[in-house]
Short mmCIF file of all heavy atoms in Angstrom, two decimals:
data_model
loop_
_atom_site.label_atom_id
_atom_site.label_comp_id
_atom_site.label_asym_id
_atom_site.label_seq_id
_atom_site.Cartn_x
_atom_site.Cartn_y
_atom_site.Cartn_z
N LEU B 21 76.80 154.26 168.61
CA LEU B 21 75.78 153.00 168.46
C LEU B 21 75.04 153.03 167.09
O LEU B 21 74.76 154.12 166.67
CB LEU B 21 74.80 153.20 169.66
CG LEU B 21 75.28 153.39 171.00
CD1 LEU B 21 74.13 153.50 172.07
CD2 LEU B 21 76.31 152.46 171.47
N ARG B 22 74.83 151.80 166.63
CA ARG B 22 74.25 151.62 165.23
C ARG B 22 72.94 150.93 165.29
O ARG B 22 72.63 150.00 166.25
CB ARG B 22 75.38 150.95 164.46
CG ARG B 22 76.52 151.81 164.23
CD ARG B 22 77.54 151.04 163.35
NE ARG B 22 78.68 152.04 163.18
CZ ARG B 22 79.74 152.17 164.07
NH1 ARG B 22 79.77 151.56 165.21
NH2 ARG B 22 80.73 153.07 163.68
N CYS B 23 72.19 151.16 164.30
CA CYS B 23 70.76 150.63 164.16
C CYS B 23 70.58 150.38 162.70
O CYS B 23 70.79 151.25 161.83
CB CYS B 23 69.78 151.60 164.73
SG CYS B 23 68.09 151.09 164.48
N SER B 24 70.04 149.18 162.34
CA SER B 24 69.70 148.90 160.96
C SER B 24 68.21 148.52 161.07
O SER B 24 67.83 147.66 161.82
CB SER B 24 70.53 147.76 160.48
OG SER B 24 71.90 148.16 160.32
N SER B 25 67.45 148.97 160.02
CA SER B 25 66.03 148.78 160.17
C SER B 25 65.57 147.78 159.04
O SER B 25 66.41 147.37 158.20
CB SER B 25 65.25 150.07 159.98
OG SER B 25 65.53 150.63 158.68
N GLN B 26 64.30 147.49 159.03
CA GLN B 26 63.68 146.66 157.97
C GLN B 26 63.71 147.46 156.75
O GLN B 26 63.78 148.68 156.76
CB GLN B 26 62.28 146.35 158.38
CG GLN B 26 62.01 145.46 159.51
CD GLN B 26 60.51 145.13 159.67
OE1 GLN B 26 59.84 144.75 158.78
NE2 GLN B 26 60.09 145.21 160.95
N SER B 27 63.80 146.74 155.60
CA SER B 27 63.75 147.41 154.29
C SER B 27 62.50 148.31 154.13
O SER B 27 61.45 147.97 154.54
CB SER B 27 63.69 146.39 153.18
OG SER B 27 63.55 147.03 151.97
N GLY B 28 62.71 149.64 153.83
CA GLY B 28 61.67 150.54 153.61
C GLY B 28 61.28 151.37 154.84
O GLY B 28 60.42 152.20 154.74
N HIS B 29 61.84 151.07 155.99
CA HIS B 29 61.60 151.78 157.16
C HIS B 29 62.43 153.07 157.16
O HIS B 29 63.58 153.10 157.57
CB HIS B 29 61.79 151.01 158.41
CG HIS B 29 60.73 150.00 158.75
ND1 HIS B 29 60.39 149.66 160.01
CD2 HIS B 29 59.86 149.37 157.91
CE1 HIS B 29 59.38 148.82 159.93
NE2 HIS B 29 59.09 148.59 158.62
N ASN B 30 61.82 154.27 156.81
CA ASN B 30 62.56 155.40 156.60
C ASN B 30 62.62 156.40 157.85
O ASN B 30 63.19 157.44 157.74
CB ASN B 30 62.06 156.21 155.36
CG ASN B 30 60.59 156.53 155.51
OD1 ASN B 30 60.01 156.55 156.58
ND2 ASN B 30 59.98 156.92 154.39
N THR B 31 61.93 155.98 158.84
CA THR B 31 61.91 156.84 160.09
C THR B 31 62.50 156.09 161.33
O THR B 31 62.05 154.99 161.50
CB THR B 31 60.53 157.19 160.32
OG1 THR B 31 59.87 157.95 159.17
CG2 THR B 31 60.39 158.31 161.50
N VAL B 32 63.46 156.72 161.92
CA VAL B 32 64.02 156.09 163.15
C VAL B 32 64.03 156.94 164.29
O VAL B 32 64.25 158.20 164.07
CB VAL B 32 65.45 155.55 162.69
CG1 VAL B 32 66.41 156.67 162.45
CG2 VAL B 32 66.06 154.72 163.95
N SER B 33 63.68 156.51 165.44
CA SER B 33 63.78 157.12 166.72
C SER B 33 64.71 156.52 167.58
O SER B 33 64.85 155.22 167.62
CB SER B 33 62.41 157.29 167.40
OG SER B 33 61.42 157.84 166.54
N TRP B 34 65.39 157.24 168.50
CA TRP B 34 66.26 156.62 169.48
C TRP B 34 65.70 156.93 170.78
O TRP B 34 65.30 158.06 171.12
CB TRP B 34 67.62 157.28 169.38
CG TRP B 34 68.49 156.63 168.22
CD1 TRP B 34 68.45 157.17 166.89
CD2 TRP B 34 69.37 155.56 168.33
NE1 TRP B 34 69.32 156.38 166.13
CE2 TRP B 34 69.90 155.36 166.94
CE3 TRP B 34 69.69 154.67 169.30
CZ2 TRP B 34 70.81 154.43 166.61
CZ3 TRP B 34 70.64 153.71 168.92
CH2 TRP B 34 71.14 153.54 167.69
N TYR B 35 65.81 156.00 171.82
CA TYR B 35 65.25 156.17 173.16
C TYR B 35 66.59 155.61 174.10
O TYR B 35 67.27 154.90 173.76
CB TYR B 35 64.11 155.18 173.44
CG TYR B 35 62.89 155.63 172.71
CD1 TYR B 35 62.72 155.46 171.34
CD2 TYR B 35 61.89 156.40 173.37
CE1 TYR B 35 61.47 155.85 170.73
CE2 TYR B 35 60.71 156.82 172.70
CZ TYR B 35 60.52 156.54 171.37
OH TYR B 35 59.36 156.92 170.73
N GLN B 36 66.47 156.29 175.25
CA GLN B 36 67.32 155.96 176.38
C GLN B 36 66.53 155.36 177.56
O GLN B 36 65.58 155.98 177.95
CB GLN B 36 68.10 157.25 176.94
CG GLN B 36 69.01 156.81 178.10
CD GLN B 36 69.48 158.11 178.81
OE1 GLN B 36 68.68 158.73 179.47
NE2 GLN B 36 70.75 158.40 178.67
N GLN B 37 66.90 154.13 177.97
CA GLN B 37 66.11 153.54 179.03
C GLN B 37 67.03 153.28 180.20
O GLN B 37 67.93 152.46 180.16
CB GLN B 37 65.49 152.26 178.65
CG GLN B 37 64.61 151.62 179.77
CD GLN B 37 63.88 150.42 179.21
OE1 GLN B 37 64.25 149.77 178.19
NE2 GLN B 37 62.75 150.16 179.88
N ALA B 38 67.01 154.03 181.28
CA ALA B 38 67.75 153.83 182.54
C ALA B 38 67.14 152.63 183.23
O ALA B 38 65.97 152.30 183.09
CB ALA B 38 67.70 155.05 183.36
N LEU B 39 67.98 151.92 184.05
CA LEU B 39 67.51 150.77 184.89
C LEU B 39 66.29 151.10 185.66
O LEU B 39 66.16 152.03 186.51
CB LEU B 39 68.69 150.37 185.72
CG LEU B 39 68.57 148.92 186.20
CD1 LEU B 39 68.71 148.07 185.00
CD2 LEU B 39 69.83 148.56 187.23
N GLY B 40 65.26 150.28 185.45
CA GLY B 40 64.04 150.40 186.23
C GLY B 40 63.08 151.41 185.71
O GLY B 40 62.07 151.69 186.37
N GLN B 41 63.38 152.07 184.66
CA GLN B 41 62.48 153.15 184.12
C GLN B 41 62.07 152.86 182.63
O GLN B 41 62.61 152.03 182.07
CB GLN B 41 63.29 154.50 184.07
CG GLN B 41 63.71 154.99 185.48
CD GLN B 41 64.41 156.30 185.36
OE1 GLN B 41 64.34 157.13 184.44
NE2 GLN B 41 65.21 156.64 186.50
N GLY B 42 61.04 153.60 182.26
CA GLY B 42 60.59 153.45 180.88
C GLY B 42 61.56 154.17 179.95
O GLY B 42 62.37 154.99 180.31
N PRO B 43 61.56 153.88 178.63
CA PRO B 43 62.42 154.52 177.63
C PRO B 43 62.01 155.96 177.49
O PRO B 43 60.82 156.40 177.67
CB PRO B 43 62.11 153.74 176.40
CG PRO B 43 61.45 152.42 176.79
CD PRO B 43 60.84 152.65 178.12
N GLN B 44 63.01 156.85 177.33
CA GLN B 44 62.92 158.25 177.13
C GLN B 44 63.34 158.59 175.75
O GLN B 44 64.43 158.24 175.32
CB GLN B 44 63.66 158.99 178.18
CG GLN B 44 63.30 158.71 179.63
CD GLN B 44 61.97 158.97 179.90
OE1 GLN B 44 61.36 160.12 179.82
NE2 GLN B 44 61.17 157.95 180.46
N PHE B 45 62.47 159.38 175.05
CA PHE B 45 62.60 159.76 173.61
C PHE B 45 63.80 160.71 173.49
O PHE B 45 63.90 161.80 174.21
CB PHE B 45 61.42 160.52 173.08
CG PHE B 45 61.61 161.00 171.70
CD1 PHE B 45 61.61 160.19 170.59
CD2 PHE B 45 61.70 162.43 171.60
CE1 PHE B 45 61.58 160.59 169.37
CE2 PHE B 45 61.68 162.95 170.23
CZ PHE B 45 61.67 162.02 169.11
N ILE B 46 64.89 160.44 172.66
CA ILE B 46 66.00 161.21 172.45
C ILE B 46 65.77 162.10 171.22
O ILE B 46 65.75 163.25 171.29
CB ILE B 46 67.27 160.40 172.29
CG1 ILE B 46 67.51 159.54 173.47
CG2 ILE B 46 68.47 161.34 172.01
CD1 ILE B 46 68.77 158.57 173.30
#
Side-chain angles (χ1 to χ4, degrees):
Chain B
L21 310 180
R22 295 178 175 83
C23 173
S24 293
S25 65
Q26 296 183 46
S27 175
H29 281 211
N30 59 15
T31 304
V32 63
S33 299
W34 285 89
Y35 290 80
Q36 179 196 66
Q37 185 173 22
L39 199 61
Q41 299 182 20
Q44 302 299 306
F45 176 75
I46 303 175

